[in-house]
Amino acid sequence: MAGNRAVAYVEPGKVEVQDIPYPTLELRDGPGVNPANVGRQCQHGVILRVVTTNICGSDQHMVRGRTSAPRDLVLGHEILGEVVEVGRDVEFIKVGDLCSVPFNIACGRCRNCKEGKTGICLNVNPDRPGSAYGYVDMGGWVGGQAEYVMVPYADWNLLRFPDRDQAMEKILDLTMLSDIFPTGFHGAVTAGVRPGSTVYVAGAGPVGLAAAAGARLLGAAVVIVGDLIPERLDRARRAGFETVDVSLGDPRDQVEQLLGVPEVDAAVDAVGFEARGHGAGAAQEAPATVLNSLMELTAAGGAIGIPGLYVTADPGAVDEPARRGSLSLSLGTGWAKSLSFTTGQCPVMRYNRSLMMAILHDRVSIADVVGATVISLDDAPQGYADFDGGAARKYVIDPHGLVGATSAGAAG
């Protein structure tokens, strides 16, 4: 039987490549696996040879020690792979199929799945609605930053690409379908972006840039991206977006210089709970900063999409309330302006096929926008370190050398 190697969390600030068991169609005990899930039979699942798997900002929260992730938890929820084994109950997915894997695991059978709310499936995580690969408190499904991974409910979860050769030509774009492109697009959709909208996206990391690209795809007139890291702001400008440097102060002032008014129609929070202050406070963590600033920045009657991650427990938070996930929000501002808010995991399956078609028919080059950069599995620890340092790149791990050491935007 083939071996398997994977990227695992070791301790705050450290990941390493480890030898792990080759996957089977059974959820076995291991780091982070919910005891109620141990022994779960998955004849509805498949084994994938991983072609690409990406490092995500959500992974970084765990690696920084900002969650209760256990030692040796295998990471990775952004997965694209080739089917090498199918379970007895799989009917439509075949060996050899090249597929994108939605990061949120869904059964396809529960009430929420049938209503399209695949980010909060009721049957895959014994602790709470919703699950994901390689993530703390998400049921213990083994992560995909590995050579091989098991995907349950394959007929339901997998998005099969219609033409393998075409897919391999656009693999760096298609690898973004597992999470960040649908997640960013969901942020723009839930913010109410439509043709002619003015949009502000907080955060120029990969999800923020994906949200900006999604807003442009939806027909926004002006898309402004705010951040405090110069390299990321430069990446946003080269992708054709306006930018705001929040280290210089309140974004409203800079937005007014761009638009003539200090408000936008729609806003997206692509930062989450590790937000920093603006202006002189940019060096200090202030987790409510982005949400409060977006309430000020969004015009009355507008909406704020919040794909940025917020947690119920943060061991490294700046104060006791934030450690419990309690932030000091100016909710009165939001109420007075009749603002709408949408939070939570993106239901990837709501968007991934449409975004796949946009990629395959050259409507968007998301890999160029986010700076997709290919690295080997062995280089993953350095990729984590570079990404944590603010590199304006989206690191794509190539476990089997199937993509090659080339990247979209790597030289930029």
Side-chain angles (χ1 to χ4, degrees):
M1 180 176 288
N4 197 15
R5 301 168 70 235
V7 181
Y9 167 72
V10 178
E11 61 187 23
K14 182 179 180 182
V15 302
E16 66 181 19
V17 179
Q18 300 180 353
D19 292 320
I20 68 168
Y22 186 85
T24 65
L25 298 175
E26 176 183 333
L27 190 51
R28 297 174 292 194
D29 198 8
V33 178
N34 190 299
N37 261 349
V38 174
R40 187 168 181 162
Q41 298 299 309
C42 298
Q43 288 299 325
H44 43 64
V46 302
I47 308 300
L48 292 184
R49 178 173 67 157
V50 177
V51 175
T52 56
T53 174
N54 314 325
I55 297 175
C56 180
S58 297
D59 298 321
Q60 288 285 16
H61 295 308
M62 291 187 289
V63 173
R64 293 181 187 128
R66 300 299 291 268
T67 71
S68 58
R71 182 185 177 93
D72 298 328
L73 178 74
V74 175
L75 302 169
H77 55 270
E78 300 190 14
I79 309 164
L80 184 156
E82 177 190 11
V83 177
V84 295
E85 180 183 341
V86 299
R88 178 192 62 234
D89 299 331
V90 177
E91 185 175 0
F92 302 111
I93 295 295
K94 307 298 181 186
V95 169
D97 285 346
L98 193 63
C99 305
S100 176
V101 184
F103 80 88
N104 29 37
I105 303 166
C107 72
R109 296 150 165 82
C110 71
R111 171 181 175 174
N112 284 350
C113 283
K114 289 180 178 181
E115 293 178 352
K117 302 172 184 174
T118 55
I120 44 174
C121 174
L122 300 174
N123 288 331
V124 287
N125 184 354
D127 281 342
R128 67 180 73 165
S131 190
Y133 303 88
Y135 213 85
V136 62
D137 297 331
M138 286 290 188
W141 301 91
V142 179
Q145 286 175 15
E147 293 173 328
Y148 299 91
V149 68
M150 189 268 282
V151 173
Y153 303 103
D155 281 328
W156 172 250
N157 281 302
L158 291 178
L159 175 68
R160 177 172 47 197
F161 300 129
D163 182 279
R164 182 187 182 90
D165 291 339
Q166 183 189 28
M168 287 304 297
E169 289 175 2
K170 294 181 177 291
I171 200 73
L172 293 185
D173 295 294
L174 295 172
T175 192
M176 306 306 167
L177 290 174
S178 57
D179 182 357
I180 68 160
F181 196 14
T183 292
F185 191 78
H186 180 62
V189 168
T190 55
V193 177
R194 56 187 183 274
S197 293
T198 57
V199 185
Y200 179 83
V201 179
V207 171
L209 293 176
R216 186 159 62 192
L217 199 58
L218 289 166
V222 182
V223 182
I224 305 167
V225 180
D227 206 297
L228 49 76
I229 299 176
E231 186 181 357
R232 289 186 170 182
L233 290 171
D234 182 59
R235 166 77 58 191
R237 282 190 291 271
R238 284 187 285 135
F241 307 118
E242 302 288 350
T243 60
V244 160
D245 184 348
V246 298
S247 71
L248 302 178
D250 190 325
R252 280 170 55 92
D253 298 334
Q254 296 175 69
V255 167
E256 185 171 19
Q257 293 175 23
L258 291 168
L259 299 179
V261 293
E263 292 182 322
V264 292
D265 300 319
V268 178
D269 174 4
V271 177
F273 73 103
E274 289 192 68
R276 298 189 178 276
H278 295 156
Q284 304 298 319
E285 194 166 303
T289 297
V290 170
L291 289 173
N292 284 330
S293 70
L294 293 187
M295 284 190 274
E296 294 286 348
L297 189 62
T298 306
I304 301 173
I306 310 174
L309 176 66
Y310 288 87
V311 295
T312 56
D314 175 9
V318 293
D319 55 41
E320 184 57 36
R323 292 187 188 98
R324 303 190 303 271
S326 179
L327 308 183
S328 182
L329 296 178
S330 179
L331 191 58
T333 301
W335 190 94
K337 297 176 73 172
S338 295
L339 300 178
S340 300
F341 306 83
T342 301
T343 66
Q345 287 189 36
C346 164
V348 170
M349 294 173 69
R350 188 177 299 173
Y351 307 109
N352 62 351
R353 186 186 180 279
S354 296
L355 294 177
M356 175 189 74
M357 296 300 288
I359 289 169
L360 294 179
H361 293 278
D362 299 318
R363 298 297 298 165
V364 61
S365 297
I366 189 64
D368 289 332
V369 172
V370 302
T373 303
V374 179
I375 59 175
S376 70
L377 191 67
D378 288 318
D379 287 335
Q382 186 61 51
Y384 267 94
D386 293 345
F387 190 41
D388 190 51
R393 299 168 185 263
K394 176 68 172 178
Y395 288 101
V396 177
I397 300 171
D398 177 10
H400 295 279
L402 299 174
V403 180
T406 59
S407 63

